[in-house]
């Protein structure tokens, strides 16, 4: 097989794969907002885009007064990280004391907006048998 054949054998499937991928992106009709899970069974609140889940009402009441809910939906961290964010806003951005709502809001945030790596990445490999190149 000469070089030119090899070139076509590689380039044609590559081209097909790429164009299929692009097509999917362009024509996908999916109006549900993306969540950390990209799971179509997860419902999002129509006005805020926040995941519909327990304590959503508290989050809307306390967390969408100053800024767009997008700041929340694009942010992912664990419970501690969310607590730090809240403390930071309380110290620097005049966020009020959340009182009894705080643990509930933290439940909501850590459940629905957890660290991205945990959601999108596979677990670390445990036992790897490297082979010699
Ligand atoms: C008193 C006003 C106020 C309230 C209420 C408020 N925030 Fe904020 N928040 C801010 C300000 C100001 C910023 C910085 C915005 C910017 O950087 O443009 C911010 C930024 C953020 C960010 C982005 C942080 C980053 O580093 O990118 C997140 C996430 C966030 N807020 C979540 C929340 C959550 C969750 C609540 C409810 C517990 C909340 N906010 C309530 C004022 C507020």
């Amino acid at each position: 097989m000469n070089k030119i054949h090899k070139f076509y054998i590689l380039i044609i499937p590559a081209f097909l794969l790429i164009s299929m991928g692009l097509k999917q992106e362009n024509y996908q009709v999916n109006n549900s907002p993306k969540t950390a899970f990209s799971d179509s069974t997860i419902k999002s609140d129509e006005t805020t885009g926040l995941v519909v889940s327990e304590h959503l009402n508290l989050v809307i009441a306390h967390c969408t007064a100053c800024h767009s809910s997008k700041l929340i939906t694009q942010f992912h961290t664990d419970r501690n990280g969310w607590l730090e964010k809240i403390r930071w806003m309380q110290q620097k951005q005049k966020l009020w004391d959340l009182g009894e709502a705080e643990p509930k809001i933290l439940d909501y945030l850590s459940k629905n907006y957890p660290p991205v790596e945990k959601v999108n990445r596979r677990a670390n490999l445990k036992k790897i048998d490297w082979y010699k190149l």
Side-chain angles (χ1 to χ4, degrees):
M1 197 157 33
N2 64 29
K3 266 193 183 143
I4 205 89
H5 280 123
K6 276 190 196 154
F7 175 75
Y8 280 121
I9 283 169
L10 284 175
I11 209 76
I12 291 170
F15 176 77
L16 285 175
L17 280 175
I18 290 168
S19 57
M20 276 160 62
L22 288 177
K23 245 196 192 136
Q24 250 190 353
E25 251 176 49
N26 290 338
Y27 301 118
Q28 219 169 25
V29 185
N30 181 4
N31 293 324
S32 61
K34 289 221 161 47
T35 65
F37 306 94
S38 287
D39 178 343
S40 57
T41 60
I42 291 174
K43 290 221 160 37
S44 299
D45 177 55
E46 260 179 39
T47 39
T48 61
L50 289 161
V51 174
V52 176
S53 178
E54 202 185 3
H55 307 314
L56 171 63
N57 56 344
L58 289 175
V59 173
I60 290 177
H62 287 282
C63 305
T64 61
C66 301
H67 52 65
S68 157
S69 52
K70 282 229 171 79
L71 279 188
I72 302 168
T73 56
Q74 74 189 10
F75 200 79
H76 292 89
T77 185
D78 57 14
R79 196 183 178 88
N80 249 337
W82 278 113
L83 183 61
E84 274 172 25
K85 262 295 132 187
I86 287 173
R87 292 287 176 269
W88 170 78
M89 280 181 284
Q90 285 169 335
Q91 281 161 17
K92 306 273 184 195
Q93 313 294 354
K94 303 199 174 82
L95 172 60
W96 45 86
D97 184 354
L98 298 173
E100 286 178 8
E102 187 173 275
K104 295 175 185 162
I105 289 174
L106 286 171
D107 285 349
Y108 174 92
L109 294 168
S110 54
K111 177 179 165 212
N112 297 298
Y113 299 97
V116 174
E117 315 90 79
K118 283 202 184 146
V119 177
N120 289 338
R121 288 184 58 195
R122 60 163 172 73
N124 288 339
L125 298 175
K126 291 212 174 70
K127 194 174 153 250
I128 310 173
D129 294 322
W130 296 107
Y131 53 85
K132 268 217 161 90
L133 290 175

